[in-house]
Amino acid sequence: MAHIADALKDKGNTAFRNGEYLDAEELYTQAIQKYSRNPLIFTNRANARLKLQKWDAAVNDCLKSIDLTASGQNHKAFYFLAQAQLALNHPHEALSSALTAYDQVRSPAPSTRTSPKDLETFSAFVLKCKKAKFAVRDRERLRRQGDLRAELEETLERAKKVELDHVTRSLDAMRLGNVEAKEQSEEIFATYDGKRAELRKVFELADPTHHKPREVPDHLVDMITFEPMHDPVITKMGHSYERATIYEHLKRSPTDPLTRDPLTINDLRPNFGLKAACDEFWEGGASEWILDW
Amino acid sequence: MAGMSTKRLQKELVKIQGALPPGISLVSAPDLREWQMDISVLDNPLYSPTDKFRLRFMFSASYPIEAPEVVFMMVSSPERKIPIHPHIYSNGIICLDLLDSQGWSPVHNVESVCISLQSMLASNTKDERPPGDAEFVKMNRQRPRDINFLFHDNKV
């Protein structure tokens, strides 16, 4: 039965590449009915379901796939899981899945196939989850203070969710194609990001002491992406960079970005102290705020 | 993934809109693909301090891992000429190691490139175009990033 399943999976992959996600999902489902012990079919179906915005179903597929992988090394499943969890507004779980995916591509088990872009992609996603988690905690903190901004932001969140659910339902009922659904969702996200930014701006102007956004200190920021670091590595010259971005640079030019001295990936060492400081920025900062009141 | 350029350029733009060194100004940044900057040279008799020179930056999705493409532009109104310099061709193409894939480093940014070009003009002592300028301008159909410059002269 396994070879029939593989044939169906290949057909599913072709449909996926052509953007026919509903067909792909259906073919993977048929493949699973023939043979249900192959974790790859589950990760592929999860990916199709992510495109179809079927978040819960995607979560189940990822968990099944991870369950079937004896070695535990299944970075794709963890990455898809993180995406679905974030979409479901569970940034805490999403971060933990994203970090697992990241760790697994950073030091892959022997004979694991990873794509050269994975580290960069996963690294960026870890950061996205951290920000989402931080935003939720910040709002929670404000809400407990009976803050008007938090209440308004939650109202916006709810309105956004209603609109997004509407898109998902239209997609399910096939009143909308994938491309349109994706465009509409992106537009909804952009609109609400804009509204939230405006709202925050108003509150910041009205009451700077309580609503000023916290700035990330320079020493925690990667000099290449200008984003906060989460896995900093240090060069021979003593400068620290985010691992994924300095790897990307060294692939093209094996030199220290600041001094131009020769530099390779093997010369890099993790900077544990700085990593602790980065973690503290995300963790400690929020709890300090909660302690404030 | 859209590449890392988006976030990075958004942040650079916020910073640039805040403050820039004297003689450097942002002209336009309609999107995150192409920006225009003006620079002027304040202390070199070869250039009038009131003359401004227009720079066009073009970014790929892999910026800042990949260098931006930077050229001087001719504009009629307001008047922007191509500065005379032995490393700047009269079509605006610049021969500077910093902008070549070998010399580029991702810690550079739009502001630091402007400062480098400003100081390259400020330290210039020769009122001339690169050797073979007319020929190069007539023949060249390559984009700046595809040209293999030889950086033989570090004095100018």
Side-chain angles (χ1 to χ4, degrees), chain A residues 250-270:
Chain A
L250 293 177
K251 270 191 230 163
R252 297 180 205 222
S253 162
T255 54
D256 185 303
L258 279 167
T259 63
R260 285 169 210 278
D261 290 318
L263 184 75
T264 67
I265 287 180
N266 294 328
D267 299 324
L268 300 170
R269 296 288 176 271

Side-chain angles (χ1 to χ4, degrees), chain A residues 120 224 226-227 252 257 260, chain B residues 7-8 11 64 66 103 105:
Chain A
E120 195 190 334
I224 297 174
F226 289 7
E227 289 271 30
R252 297 180 205 222
R260 285 169 210 278
Chain B
K7 269 275 151 62
R8 156 88 184 226
K11 290 186 180 181
E66 269 175 21
S105 155

Side-chain angles (χ1 to χ4, degrees), chain A residues 66-79:
Chain A
I66 292 162
D67 200 36
L68 287 173
T69 316
S71 67
Q73 164 97 31
N74 192 341
H75 55 279
K76 265 193 179 168
F78 279 107
Y79 176 54

Side-chain angles (χ1 to χ4, degrees), chain A residues 156-171:
Chain A
L156 281 179
E157 273 306 310
R158 273 198 297 275
K160 177 169 104 180
K161 194 166 181 315
V162 169
E163 286 191 36
L164 286 173
D165 286 349
H166 179 75
V167 173
T168 310
R169 271 200 309 279
S170 305
L171 183 68

Side-chain angles (χ1 to χ4, degrees), chain B residues 41-66:
Chain B
V41 189
L42 305 172
D43 44 8
N44 186 336
L46 285 178
Y47 311 98
S48 154
T50 54
D51 275 352
K52 289 183 176 179
F53 303 109
R54 178 71 47 93
L55 284 167
R56 187 177 65 194
F57 284 74
M58 286 193 285
F59 309 101
S60 76
S62 310
Y63 174 81
I65 297 291
E66 269 175 21

Side-chain angles (χ1 to χ4, degrees), chain A residues 117 120-121 124 131 223-228 241 245 248-249 252-253 256-258 260, chain B residues 1 3-4 7-8 11-12 62 64-66 98 101-109:
Chain A
K117 275 276 169 198
E120 195 190 334
T121 311
K131 285 180 178 172
M223 279 180 282
I224 297 174
T225 53
F226 289 7
E227 289 271 30
Y241 301 88
T245 45
E248 204 53 38
H249 164 70
R252 297 180 205 222
S253 162
D256 185 303
L258 279 167
R260 285 169 210 278
Chain B
M1 213 175 83
M4 61 173 75
K7 269 275 151 62
R8 156 88 184 226
K11 290 186 180 181
E12 277 197 53
S62 310
I65 297 291
E66 269 175 21
L98 175 71
S101 60
Q102 295 305 307
W104 172 256
S105 155
V107 295
H108 286 301
N109 53 57

